Amino acid sequence: YNSNAITYMPRKNASWYLRQAGGPTDLANKKAIFIVRANGSVIGRNRDSWWSGGVLTTPIFPGDTIVVSKAGIIYVVGDVAHPSGFIMENNESLTVLQALAVAGGASERAAPSRTRIIRVVDGKRKEFKVQMTDVVLPGDTIVVPERYF
């Protein structure tokens, strides 16, 4: 979304303002939107889906701020078909196996049983051995090593 201020128009709802901002970008978390009223009250926190109504139909008043959170990104690197960063749409839960599938799967030279996750915990970089059923968190880097020959 465009993060610039948009001129207030009476009798318009959040949907109208979001369209004026250009709609969601690829990095928008479409399940994490809320409105902060000028008096500090918050509307719409922890909605399941704001696209289906809810916050979108909320009238906007002078001084309101519409906040759309950023989606998480995971990185899959090493011996996979398409190593890259991938957007976790709506920050939905994703397993290691699903993340590898998004990256095109492990190559024939890969050692998926030695896959690791690099994660920042309490500001420190940590590396974990994982199972394919483990859940990936936003910001994780999945490393699929090459097998020993």
Side-chain angles (χ1 to χ4, degrees):
Y1 288 97
N2 177 344
S3 61
N4 295 325
I6 296 172
T7 303
Y8 174 73
M9 297 293 292
R11 297 180 299 282
K12 300 294 183 183
N13 61 25
S15 175
W16 184 87
Y17 284 96
L18 292 172
R19 284 193 309 275
Q20 297 309 301
T25 67
D26 290 341
L27 294 177
N29 180 350
K30 297 172 190 78
K31 288 190 177 180
I33 183 173
F34 52 97
I35 298 166
V36 180
R37 295 282 191 210
N39 67 6
S41 64
V42 178
I43 298 172
R45 201 178 288 275
N46 298 324
R47 298 275 185 182
D48 285 336
S49 177
W50 59 274
W51 285 112
S52 61
V55 172
L56 279 182
T57 59
T58 302
I60 299 300
F61 299 102
D64 287 353
T65 302
I66 302 170
V67 180
V68 179
S69 298
K70 187 176 176 181
I73 298 176
I74 59 164
Y75 301 90
V76 183
V77 298
D79 242 329
V80 293
H82 306 288
S84 188
F86 300 96
I87 296 170
M88 295 180 73
E89 187 156 328
N90 301 325
N91 286 344
E92 294 174 359
S93 69
L94 195 66
T95 65
V96 172
L97 182 62
Q98 290 169 323
L100 291 180
V102 170
S107 76
E108 60 187 37
R109 299 179 318 272
S113 64
R114 293 190 296 120
T115 297
R116 301 260 188 267
I117 284 183
I118 299 170
R119 179 177 292 161
V120 176
V121 179
D122 296 327
K124 295 181 180 169
R125 183 177 173 246
K126 300 200 179 226
E127 193 168 314
F128 303 93
K129 183 172 177 12
V130 296
Q131 301 296 317
M132 291 295 140
T133 55
D134 289 346
V135 175
V136 179
L137 300 177
D140 281 353
T141 299
I142 300 169
V143 180
V144 181
E146 188 174 35
R147 65 184 150 110
Y148 302 123
F149 289 96

